[in-house]
Amino acid sequence: MTRLLIIGPPGSGKGTQAEHIARHFSIPAVSTGEIFRSNVNEATQLGKEAAKYLDDGDFVPDHLTNAMVKDRLLDADAQGGFLLDGYPRTASQVSELDNMLASQGQRIDAVIELLAPDAELEQRMLQRAKEQGRKDDTVDVFRRRLDLYHRETHEVVSVYAGRGMVVSVEGSGDPDEITERAIAAVEKFLTA
Ligand code: ADP
């Protein structure tokens, strides 16, 4: 049973790494950004409420995000562990996740911090924009997302670092090698 978080700036390849790392540990990768995007595509009530925040690169309000994560983590496939990608993104979401897990007698085992220099991120995002056509992958919206990452999400890493739970992984280079490094680092941390 492994419960992991992955935290990294937009354009760091966090979503792809999350998928690969989760497969290795036989746990589902739960991406809040993906869940929001599929709700927007399917025009659900949540999608309608979340769309403008995604389009502007802003955080979706906590009451929507927290409820969505709480529901998702109660699904049967998440009972044997999970890798959360994109949540928590603020200190208040950290407390919310702590409470959600504590009510189930659970806790996070490790937090993967994916490091990548800012200079590379915009280039990667522009490449992804061509490949995937994500609506929020424009230079202006991307800068907003990166700015929010630095202002808000950095604190999330600090909170978990204070708990001695952060495994930092260099996120530049060949994606498969990054996956290998991340898996090795997490396994070492979990068995230490
Ligand atoms: P990235 O990390 O590249 O910005 P994500 O796919 O993780 O992309 O998130 C896309 C968007 O989904 C965010 O810009 C935000 O609007 C919304 N979102 C995802 N996770 C959260 C969260 N934990 N809290 C609030 N909004 C979120």
Side-chain angles (χ1 to χ4, degrees):
M1 175 106 43
T2 317
R3 295 188 189 87
L4 304 172
L5 306 182
I6 185 164
I7 301 177
S12 62
K14 160 175 72 78
T16 309
Q17 290 303 329
E19 299 275 339
H20 292 144
I21 296 166
R23 194 169 309 132
H24 173 85
F25 288 100
S26 306
I27 51 179
V30 174
S31 157
T32 46
E34 278 300 325
I35 301 174
F36 282 131
R37 281 189 288 279
S38 75
N39 275 275
V40 171
N41 288 338
E42 288 161 26
T44 64
Q45 183 59 34
L46 174 64
K48 286 177 193 160
E49 290 180 75
K52 72 170 164 26
Y53 300 100
L54 268 84
D55 287 354
D56 292 345
D58 285 329
F59 289 159
V60 176
D62 273 358
H63 70 280
L64 295 172
T65 307
N66 292 332
M68 179 185 87
V69 172
K70 193 170 182 179
D71 262 17
R72 179 63 187 90
L73 295 187
L74 289 173
D75 284 350
D77 70 331
Q79 297 316 302
F82 52 77
L83 169 54
L84 256 181
D85 157 14
Y87 183 95
R89 255 176 158 92
T90 61
S92 122
Q93 291 183 359
V94 173
S95 309
E96 197 63 33
L97 179 62
D98 283 344
N99 293 336
M100 277 178 221
L101 295 175
S103 70
Q104 306 288 316
Q106 302 173 349
R107 59 195 274 291
I108 293 298
D109 299 304
V111 176
I112 304 165
E113 179 193 21
L114 202 57
L115 304 168
D118 272 11
E120 273 185 26
L121 299 172
E122 196 165 301
Q123 274 317 109
R124 292 207 216 172
M125 177 281 296
L126 289 170
Q127 183 58 36
R128 180 172 71 189
K130 284 188 213 146
E131 292 163 5
Q132 297 178 10
R134 247 175 76 167
K135 212 175 161 192
D136 59 349
D137 276 345
T138 62
V139 170
D140 285 350
V141 175
F142 178 81
R143 286 183 183 159
R144 168 86 186 130
R145 283 155 56 210
L146 187 57
D147 178 53
L148 267 181
Y149 180 82
H150 287 309
R151 281 196 290 125
E152 300 275 352
T153 309
H154 194 72
E155 197 185 343
V156 174
V157 178
S158 304
V159 172
Y160 288 114
R163 299 181 190 176
M165 291 173 63
V166 176
V167 177
S168 297
V169 178
E170 189 49 62
S172 299
D174 175 61
D176 290 341
E177 281 172 21
I178 298 168
T179 307
E180 292 304 315
R181 274 205 295 275
I183 290 169
V186 171
E187 285 187 332
K188 187 170 167 209
F189 178 84
L190 293 178
T191 53

